[in-house]
Amino acid sequence: MPLLPGAEPLRHDGGGVGVLLCHGFTGCPQSLRPWAEYLAERDLTVSLPLLPGHGTRWQDLAVTGWQDWYAAVETELRLLRGRCERVFVCGLSMGGALALRLAARHGDAVDGAVVVNPAVTLPRTQGYLLPFLRHLVPTAPGIASDIAREGVTEVGYDRVPLHAAHSLWDLFREVRGELHRVTQPLLVLHSRVDHVVPPSDSALVLERVSSRDVTETVLERSYHVATLDHDAERIFADSYGFITRLTARKTARDGA
């Protein structure tokens, strides 16, 4: 099946610091490509994979589940650990949930996490109805392109397959139960106005993680897909600053 324009994965071999970026549900690497390119230009080793079922047509997503999406990013993490001294995980929306699960499950193999508008819940009514609705209605309207900046669009599906949405609900339940295992330094950036994921999801993440080094940044001018919105450059710069600060601190500690 041909890929949608911009859905191609991105990999860049740079220095000894690796960054894994995880895109969101029904989206594709296009939403994170400028971020990935910014980090690659600064000599970081970057992996931005295309998650299974994404970047083609919604029917392909309908036959995948959260285990497939998580397995894809876990494989990329292992590849990065094989060639990099330090590895950071980043994600947007559902990609934030995947990044947090990697941090929770892989401990010292992850040096830090950056999440943008992380999604860890679904509206309660949706969650309760999905197990039944998915057998009656195949899709719901799409959620792509919640962007304040005029003339910018996100490449994503215009329909949400409900079988996949039900699996997403299961992923969120798993991640919420493991947030206390996240101990790495954490940068959480979330939009004040988001029509897809409420800011309360970021608040829940901040409340439940066990990280001691935590930074919260509120994005005032962007909606959900903030990595393509008015605050994109701030996300890129803040994440790079976060990574270089931690890398320098660890290098100094190892040399002491």
Side-chain angles (χ1 to χ4, degrees):
M1 181 61 60
L3 294 181
L4 297 172
E8 303 84 5
L10 183 152
R11 290 178 177 84
H12 172 78
D13 289 331
V17 177
V19 183
L20 170 59
L21 296 106
C22 311
H23 69 75
F25 183 64
T26 76
C28 71
Q30 178 260 355
S31 62
L32 300 184
R33 190 172 302 277
W35 189 5
E37 291 173 344
Y38 179 98
L39 298 175
E41 288 169 0
R42 284 151 182 81
D43 198 36
L44 301 184
T45 293
V46 177
S47 174
L48 171 54
L50 173 65
L51 301 181
H54 292 76
T56 52
R57 55 179 192 160
W58 69 259
Q59 291 88 342
D60 295 327
L61 181 58
V63 294
T64 67
W66 75 261
Q67 296 90 342
D68 303 305
W69 316 324
Y70 180 72
V73 296
E74 191 172 48
T75 296
E76 294 296 323
L77 174 63
R78 291 196 174 105
L79 291 173
L80 283 173
R81 287 303 312 183
R83 74 170 309 279
C84 296
E85 298 172 7
R86 299 177 181 92
V87 175
F88 295 82
V89 294
C90 307
L92 166 69
S93 194
M94 177 191 76
L98 294 173
L100 289 166
R101 192 167 202 262
L102 288 171
R105 296 210 148 219
H106 288 273
D108 291 342
V110 174
D111 290 270
V114 180
V115 292
V116 179
N117 292 323
V120 291
T121 70
L122 286 178
R124 184 170 298 180
T125 301
Q126 285 187 23
Y128 287 145
L129 292 178
L130 271 175
F132 311 102
L133 278 179
R134 65 193 176 111
H135 297 294
L136 302 174
V137 182
T139 67
I143 55 174
S145 289
D146 185 35
I147 301 171
R149 189 175 178 182
E150 291 186 9
V152 179
T153 58
E154 178 189 16
V155 174
Y157 296 148
D158 59 2
R159 303 297 299 177
V160 175
L162 293 192
H163 279 294
H166 181 256
S167 187
L168 180 69
W169 185 52
D170 289 338
L171 169 65
F172 290 164
R173 185 172 62 242
E174 292 285 330
V175 171
R176 290 196 305 272
E178 295 180 337
L179 285 174
H180 68 283
R181 297 173 59 183
V182 176
T183 60
Q184 299 91 337
L186 177 65
L187 171 60
V188 178
L189 305 105
H190 62 91
S191 301
R192 188 172 298 281
V193 178
D194 186 329
H195 304 99
V196 177
V197 174
S200 56
D201 278 32
S202 292
L204 189 152
V205 169
L206 291 165
E207 176 187 340
R208 294 194 183 182
V209 296
S210 299
S211 307
R212 294 185 177 181
D213 183 343
V214 178
T215 303
E216 176 187 10
T217 299
V218 179
L219 306 173
E220 300 286 355
R221 303 170 58 232
S222 301
Y223 294 159
H224 182 62
V225 191
T227 50
L228 296 178
D229 216 327
H230 293 295
D231 294 296
E233 287 294 329
R234 179 175 187 182
I235 293 169
F236 306 162
D238 283 6
S239 62
Y240 180 67
F242 174 81
I243 291 167
T244 54
R245 172 176 68 84
L246 293 172
T247 301
R249 186 173 72 184
K250 188 168 184 179
T251 299
R253 187 167 60 242
D254 291 347

